[in-house]
Amino acid sequence: MADSKMAKAKLGEFLAAVSADYEVYGPKADNGVVTFGRIASADELALTYSNSTVSAKELFLPKTETVYEFDGENFVDDPLPEQKRVVLGLRPCDCRALTLLDGTFDCERVQDPFYVTRRANTVLVALACDRPLSSCFCTATGGDPYGEEGVDVLLSDEGESFLAKAVTDRGKDFLEQYGKFFSGKAAGKWAERAKAASGKMTCDLSLAEVSQRLDGLFEDDMWERVSQKCIGCGTCSYLCPTCYCFDLIDDKTATGVKKIRRWDCCMFQSFALHASGHDPRPITAARFRQKIMHKFNYHPQRCGLNSCVGCGRCVRACPVNLDIRQLLGDILAAAPSAASE
Amino acid sequence: MKNPYRPILTTIQEITIENEAQDLKTFRLGFCDADEGNGFDYQCGQFAELTVFRVGECPIGIASSPMDEGILEFTVKRYPDGQVTNALHNCAVGDRIGVRGPLGNWFPLERMEGKNVLIVGGGFAFTTLRSTIRYILHEANRKRFANLVVLYGARNPGELLYKDELKAWQGRDDIEAHITVDKADDESWTGHEGFVPAVLEQVAPSPKDAIALVCGPPIMLKYTLPVLEKLGFGPTEIITSLEMRMKCGIGLCGRCNIGGKYVCIDGPVFTYEQLQALPAEM
């Protein structure tokens, strides 16, 4: 199906129809905090936000999840999340972030069955970003407010209606399935709208070369300096759509145990601590370096791409106003000869 | 799709207290399901995640040899702050243990074929080396390798692991076993006395057509690696194994990075050349 359009007045009806076939998730606002949750009706949807406070990551990698249960004698069958879902209204940066998580949780070497099942069963209907925030920097990371990576259907808010575009076959099937809510052949001004949106991006960095620059900076004394005000709270990691480090813990049941995969953060003191008491990253500077190196040097070495989509959540939420853009800018500005030694 | 977090079930068949301090025990595990046991196809140098159900999981090198059919052995040091190692030490024969693995890479036995093999170990980091020695000494394998020289050290005679095996090795002519202790507090001690690097210098094994496997505490490695270099072993002929907190063991949880490498999937076995390329964050 080519471009089409849905009048906003039809949103309620559309959601009711989709809800009959899928679990529907979307952005919900509570006192200005926008998070993703189950949507029962159109008036629960908060579609006027610039970006959600929390990313859509947890719909695929929940904060806590049982990865197996042992009843003391036998393993209980894995409760795979097989329900069909639609996530509506997430931004292109969050969709792109999922393609980066795919490289870890669904790669040739290992597949996380919970993550893979959710990804396979979920249609991503993204809402293009017309009002990027001053803290947003998706274009610096190779993304775009109208980006299509990871997106199944892209919507654009035209005021009275949504423009809709199928990006993948799954998106095409979805639009066809609910074709009666969309008027076909709507010649949307996609290109103009996309251009206007990316024109609002204020960050002029290009992060493609950061990885190479970081090669020689492991021993640099900059880490001590740039991490000085970091309090290691982990807010940046918890809000980050591409951070995925986790812990595995035992949650006792009456006769057995549930093994829980729980979000963790490389900024926490106990993260790499050995049972012997030895800690390979015993100070904030070392942990801060690990976080930056993992995103912009180690991940590119392994998967070819920076593990950052420029959503800007870490910039907005950091309690001590650390701005990753400033740090990356400084790294890029460092003399290439010194950095690539 | 296989669930990579789920362990297979084993029961403890035998527990051996290895040392006088009684903080090192070897657990012999038997698979509850024979098919799962046959599917557990491991190599010398690999590790597994051991689960004490309702407590947790920890990564331990495999101490038995792939030639030891149907059994799996792990030698575990109990740490005062180690929840899982304490729980393991409180286990009894017949208790159920979960095993997830085999995980990680292994010693390059194919590359070692036809060569002289030097094995240098210290303290309780001798477990996967013991696996390798057992493997090489097996009658089906011994001819595939040339000379086998072993140097193993512990603080004192009471702290040596696998004492019966050490004695047996010293009685064989197809292995040259040098056992040393930092301090011989026992008058009947007949082995070497002195730190591993110093004894290595005395024994001076030839680097010709040889590969050296070295595992030990960081302080031992720090002084042993230069001795090997001085003896003429090249950086790709020196092989070691690293320890890190490896929670998932499958390259996902993000804990065991050393630079761009994950010890759990890129290691734990590294050549000295690879080790030198890693940042000093161990």
Side-chain angles (χ1 to χ4, degrees):
Chain A
M1 177 179 280
D3 296 356
S4 57
K5 195 182 258 199
M6 176 173 67
K8 281 189 179 171
K10 283 191 185 169
L11 190 60
E13 235 181 292
F14 167 71
L15 276 177
V18 176
S19 298
D21 306 320
Y22 295 89
E23 284 184 0
V24 180
Y25 293 80
K28 297 166 103 165
D30 182 9
N31 278 321
V33 176
V34 180
T35 56
F36 282 84
R38 275 296 285 279
I39 297 291
S41 67
D43 51 6
E44 281 186 288
L45 265 180
L47 290 176
T48 55
Y49 67 95
S50 280
N51 205 346
S52 57
T53 315
V54 178
S55 83
K57 169 176 77 178
E58 63 181 300
L59 296 179
F60 298 88
L61 206 59
K63 287 192 196 87
T64 62
E65 169 157 47
T66 302
V67 292
Y68 72 75
E69 181 173 352
F70 179 66
D71 66 11
E73 287 298 323
N74 297 294
F75 288 98
V76 176
D77 284 341
D78 292 331
L80 283 179
E82 300 195 273
Q83 59 276 22
K84 292 169 72 184
R85 309 185 305 171
V86 170
V87 183
L88 201 67
L90 73 172
R91 295 297 186 194
C93 54
D94 275 5
C95 293
R96 183 157 181 255
L98 290 171
T99 67
L100 291 168
L101 292 179
D102 291 346
T104 299
F105 289 94
D106 184 12
C107 62
E108 207 177 306
R109 192 177 46 74
V110 63
Q111 296 88 37
D112 177 303
F114 307 95
Y115 177 87
V116 170
T117 304
R118 285 199 178 86
R119 285 286 278 145
N121 295 340
T122 308
V123 184
L124 297 179
V125 181
L127 180 57
C129 189
D130 291 311
R131 291 185 312 281
L133 294 160
S134 61
S135 47
C136 290
F137 58 106
C138 64
T139 48
T141 68
D144 191 273
Y146 272 64
E148 296 180 356
E149 278 177 79
V151 173
D152 290 313
V153 173
L154 187 63
L155 302 178
S156 173
D157 187 340
E158 265 203 326
E160 291 305 307
S161 58
F162 291 111
L163 288 176
K165 184 202 298 194
V167 177
T168 59
D169 286 343
R170 180 157 62 183
K172 191 170 161 239
D173 292 346
F174 180 80
L175 283 185
E176 271 168 14
Q177 191 179 350
Y178 301 101
K180 65 173 181 174
F181 299 101
F182 295 89
S183 57
K185 287 183 281 181
K189 295 182 172 171
W190 283 101
E192 289 90 326
R193 295 186 64 81
K195 199 174 165 204
S198 61
K200 292 177 191 167
M201 299 301 299
T202 53
C203 178
D204 57 3
L205 293 173
S206 171
L207 301 182
E209 279 177 28
V210 167
S211 172
Q212 206 186 329
R213 294 291 173 85
L214 282 168
D215 274 346
L217 293 180
F218 187 91
E219 302 285 356
D220 202 278
D221 57 10
M222 64 176 275
W223 300 109
E224 196 91 27
R225 197 175 68 246
V226 297
S227 64
Q228 227 158 28
K229 62 181 180 177
C230 176
I231 55 172
C233 67
T235 300
C236 49
S237 291
Y238 274 58
L239 296 180
C240 177
T242 64
C243 271
Y244 58 79
C245 289
F246 61 82
D247 198 0
L248 290 166
I249 55 167
D250 282 48
D251 187 14
K252 288 178 195 170
T253 59
T255 57
V257 67
K258 285 180 175 177
K259 182 66 86 176
I260 310 280
R261 186 187 57 205
R262 177 177 73 179
W263 286 5
D264 204 346
C265 170
C266 60
M267 308 294 285
F268 293 162
Q269 278 187 21
S270 59
F271 187 70
L273 181 67
H274 295 198
S276 64
H278 173 67
D279 189 347
R281 295 193 280 272
I283 55 170
T284 303
R287 294 190 285 271
F288 190 90
R289 175 178 60 193
Q290 166 67 16
K291 181 181 165 103
I292 299 299
M293 291 297 263
H294 190 199
K295 286 196 164 305
F296 297 99
N297 185 262
Y298 307 156
H299 199 268
Q301 276 176 36
R302 301 196 80 92
C303 303
L305 289 165
N306 289 331
S307 178
C308 173
V309 294
C311 72
R313 291 185 178 94
C314 58
V315 179
R316 293 191 286 282
C318 179
V320 295
N321 295 322
L322 267 167
D323 188 333
I324 197 169
R325 295 171 301 177
Q326 196 182 339
L327 172 64
L328 296 170
D330 289 350
I331 291 166
L332 284 169
S337 57
S340 60
E341 278 298 302
Chain B
M1 206 180 309
K2 190 174 166 285
N3 182 341
Y5 304 107
R6 192 198 269 199
I8 55 179
L9 296 176
T10 68
T11 47
I12 300 178
Q13 293 182 337
E14 197 180 307
I15 301 174
T16 309
I17 298 171
E18 293 285 355
N19 63 340
E20 279 176 7
Q22 303 198 4
D23 60 358
L24 286 160
K25 288 185 180 176
T26 296
F27 298 86
R28 175 174 289 196
L29 308 179
F31 295 99
C32 293
D33 179 306
D35 285 344
E36 282 183 332
N38 291 333
F40 194 96
D41 199 4
Y42 66 95
Q43 312 262 11
C44 302
Q46 289 194 287
F47 71 99
E49 297 277 351
L50 300 188
T51 293
V52 180
F53 291 105
R54 293 159 68 89
V55 179
E57 216 176 15
C58 66
I60 307 285
I62 303 173
S64 49
S65 149
M67 307 305 284
D68 301 333
E69 259 177 63
I71 59 152
L72 204 49
E73 285 181 344
F74 297 89
T75 302
V76 180
K77 158 103 168 167
R78 182 175 63 78
Y79 285 106
D81 293 329
Q83 290 181 36
V84 183
T85 61
N86 269 292
L88 269 168
H89 272 247
N90 289 335
C91 283
V93 169
D95 283 356
R96 194 115 50 158
I97 298 293
V99 176
R100 207 153 55 81
L103 300 169
N105 67 354
W106 49 87
F107 293 123
L109 285 159
E110 278 182 21
R111 184 150 77 87
M112 287 154 60
E113 275 192 31
K115 297 203 171 187
N116 297 313
V117 177
L118 169 66
I119 288 180
V120 183
F124 57 91
F126 191 57
T127 60
T128 56
L129 294 179
R130 180 248 195 173
S131 163
T132 311
I133 295 165
R134 287 178 68 85
Y135 177 85
I136 293 174
L137 286 179
H138 192 275
E139 56 186 6
N141 297 330
R142 186 63 193 90
K143 286 201 181 79
R144 290 159 48 207
F145 302 89
N147 293 337
L148 174 61
V149 179
V150 173
L151 166 57
Y152 171 46
R155 233 171 300 152
N156 54 58
E159 291 302 300
L160 289 164
L161 295 174
Y162 317 123
K163 292 182 185 69
D164 291 345
E165 274 168 84
L166 300 183
K167 207 171 287 170
W169 295 344
Q170 285 174 310
R172 294 176 66 137
D173 58 8
D174 56 356
I175 171 173
E176 180 187 329
H178 298 272
I179 314 298
T180 184
V181 293
D182 298 351
K183 201 166 164 42
D185 51 6
D186 177 348
E187 279 177 22
S188 64
W189 178 250
T190 55
H192 296 269
E193 192 172 345
F195 294 125
V196 166
V199 178
L200 179 63
E201 236 172 334
Q202 286 167 28
V203 174
S206 163
K208 194 164 181 297
D209 292 325
I211 285 194
L213 310 184
V214 199
C215 296
I219 188 76
M220 184 201 103
L221 287 181
K222 185 180 166 188
Y223 291 102
T224 301
L225 293 171
V227 173
L228 286 169
E229 278 189 301
K230 208 168 103 186
L231 287 171
F233 285 85
T236 57
E237 271 66 55
I238 303 173
I239 293 156
T240 187
S241 180
L242 298 179
E243 286 216 322
M244 271 287 150
R245 185 174 187 182
M246 300 178 282
K247 201 98 194 199
C248 75
I250 49 177
L252 300 181
C253 78
R255 218 167 244 85
C256 66
N257 271 99
I258 301 178
K261 302 283 185 207
Y262 284 111
V263 174
C264 71
I265 51 172
D266 300 317
V269 173
F270 293 93
T271 65
Y272 188 36
E273 185 181 48
Q274 290 170 320
L275 202 64
Q276 285 170 316
L278 292 176
E281 194 176 51
M282 292 170 204

